Amino acid sequence: MEQLQATPLSTDLLSTDLQSGASQKRPKGPAALTQGSNPYANLVTSLKATWLTGKTRPMEYRKEQLEAIGRFLDEKKEDILHAQYQDMRKPHFESELENVATRNEVNVALNNLCCWMKDEYVEKTPAMQLDCAFIRKDPFGVVLVIGAYNYPINLILAPLVGAIAAGNCVIIKPSEHSPCTARLLAECLPCYLDSDTFAVVTGGPEHVTKLLENQFDYIFFTGSTHVGKIIMSAAAKNLTPLTLELGGKCPCYVDDCCDFQNAANRIAWAKFVNAGQTCIAPDYVLCTVETQEKLIPCLRQAIREFYGCIPQDSPDFGRMVNDNEFRRVKALLNSGRVAIGGETDECDLYIAPTVLADVQEWEPVMQEEIFGPVLPIVTVADMDAAIAFIDCRPRPLAVYAFSCKSKVVHQVLDCTSSGGFCGNDCAMQLLLITLPYGGIGCSGFGKYHGKFSFDTFTNHRGTLLRCIGLEKLNTIRYPPYNDTKLALMSSTLEVRRKGFCAIL
Ligand code: NAD
């Protein structure tokens, strides 16, 4: 069983006791797992009971909790930066950006909650003109949010904001691979949020397995495609609806007609931010041989400008999260030829920003999501070949296309399928909160960010309120049936085609 590393962040803080569901002071760490018992059963039952009291439903309550998340982000900012640095030497700039993106989720929810929560009235057929028809925005109930390690604050708190905004009780389970941040969340967040309706569970796969033995009303998972399948199988046992935010290989097409230096800067930033451990990083570049020759010097220049001659000494370049990930990514360097970088230092979990040229599609680096600072370039004949290359692989989280010709960018957009798309840049679509974010196919399903998060955690409850009188009007649907009744019934229920003349 994983034990969270001791950190100097906090010593004497409240968290939810997993057995009783009550708040009490106790040392931090994953719950003890014993055979036969489920350490999370009482917690889930207690949250369910609270949810049934309706405590989480009023807008004011939701706003208080959202404000509390905002205070956590503001007041614990230094601790968050420190924890993320300890976990993966994440540069403060990158952690601050993650905080800003998370704060935006809080602010957008607070700014719009009143409007989002309102019943949405819908059009009615003639038969229902006297009735009231609307969509009620109901919470699901008790929600489980499971996070990945790479952006451990945002990947937990952004869904949490959506779940709370939608009026749910929530258990969050941060990744055990970012232990300092997980510990910070476990120790500090319960001091801000209502422990009747919210809890943090820490630990690894066996804790998730135990958690999933309980019945949740919604599961929101961020992580690998492989584990996503495990989560979906567990959810299927209880028919629990879920969102899967998964990974994959995001392709990046660079056209022959392009500002190569600008493209290289943008690709290099998105690829090497967080040492390549970004789900929407461009996984590989597709371009012609001629473009590869022009792009490589520009990538070299971008890397040198960003991280200096020795990226290992740069305070702005992160590290692989652990030994396993270091070894996995290092093994991928044996594909194609190393055009830039390629240095590694196991003691420091360092892999240099690396560009591999002339990579073949059958080589190891093209068989799995890279999730590290390694950028392969695969050469293709032209844009059509690039599109065909993308289309015969699992659908990715994002597709990127660089070209001076907007027609080319649109052609790639129109002819491929992915969770998101960005023309002439990479990863920036994620930072626009008004866009839905999520995958398709093997990169997952369901969308979130901003209003999309609220909708994800909301049961859109179709509601019709009829009047109990005027029974004569209803007799046309009751047996004994006849043709006149059918004609009347059909005409009052019918939805006509717009602009279609019924006389003709
Ligand atoms: P992971 O799948 O290994 O772990 C994610 C979570 O699942 C963790 O909390 C972990 O405790 C739990 N888990 C791991 N193995 C489990 C098992 N066998 N049974 C039950 N639970 C288990 O992912 P990771 O290594 O933390 O993150 C990297 C992956 O996540 C990459 O594939 C990346 O693309 C993806 N990711 C996707 C997004 C997105 O928004 N789509 C964002 C970040 C990361």
Side-chain angles (χ1 to χ4, degrees), residues 80 83-84 87-88 90 98 147-157 174-175 177-182 185 274:
I80 291 170
Q84 300 224 53
D87 282 335
M88 46 197 314
K90 194 178 282 219
E98 192 178 336
Y149 76 79
N150 54 332
Y151 291 91
I153 289 291
N154 184 265
L155 296 178
I156 285 288
L157 295 192
S175 170
H177 295 307
S178 41
C180 298
T181 315
L185 288 169
N274 206 26

Side-chain angles (χ1 to χ4, degrees), residues 147 149-150 173 176 221-224 227 245-247 279 369 437:
Y149 76 79
N150 54 332
K173 209 301 284 176
E176 71 281 14
F221 171 80
T222 304
S224 58
V227 178
E245 295 288 342
L246 309 178
C279 52
E369 179 184 12
Y437 174 78

Side-chain angles (χ1 to χ4, degrees), residues 50-51 53-66 113-114 117 137 139 164-168 197:
T50 308
W51 186 73
T53 66
K55 186 175 187 183
T56 55
R57 286 181 182 254
M59 183 169 64
E60 282 319 311
Y61 178 83
R62 303 182 198 192
K63 283 189 160 179
E64 272 167 28
Q65 300 301 304
L66 294 171
L113 192 58
C114 172
M117 284 177 66
K137 312 294 176 61
I164 287 177
N168 298 283
T197 61

Side-chain angles (χ1 to χ4, degrees), residues 96-144:
E96 292 242 24
L97 271 188
E98 192 178 336
N99 262 24
V100 169
T102 314
R103 196 56 166 100
N104 285 348
E105 294 288 346
V106 175
N107 292 349
V108 166
L110 282 167
N111 290 345
N112 296 287
L113 192 58
C114 172
C115 170
W116 292 348
M117 284 177 66
K118 279 195 180 125
D119 290 338
E120 209 174 297
Y121 288 86
V122 297
E123 278 187 38
K124 292 176 290 186
T125 55
M128 314 230 167
Q129 284 309 310
L130 300 176
D131 305 330
C132 194
F134 56 90
I135 302 165
R136 170 57 54 93
K137 312 294 176 61
D138 254 1
F140 273 104
V142 181
V143 164
L144 173 62

Side-chain angles (χ1 to χ4, degrees), residues 3-42:
Q3 287 300 321
L4 296 182
Q5 289 169 12
T7 67
L9 291 169
S10 179
T11 51
D12 189 25
L13 295 160
L14 289 173
S15 82
T16 297
D17 179 76
L18 298 170
Q19 293 294 340
S20 65
S23 288
Q24 63 174 45
K25 290 183 180 182
R26 65 172 180 78
K28 297 296 153 313
L33 298 183
T34 49
Q35 282 236 318
S37 71
N38 189 301
Y40 304 111
N42 288 346

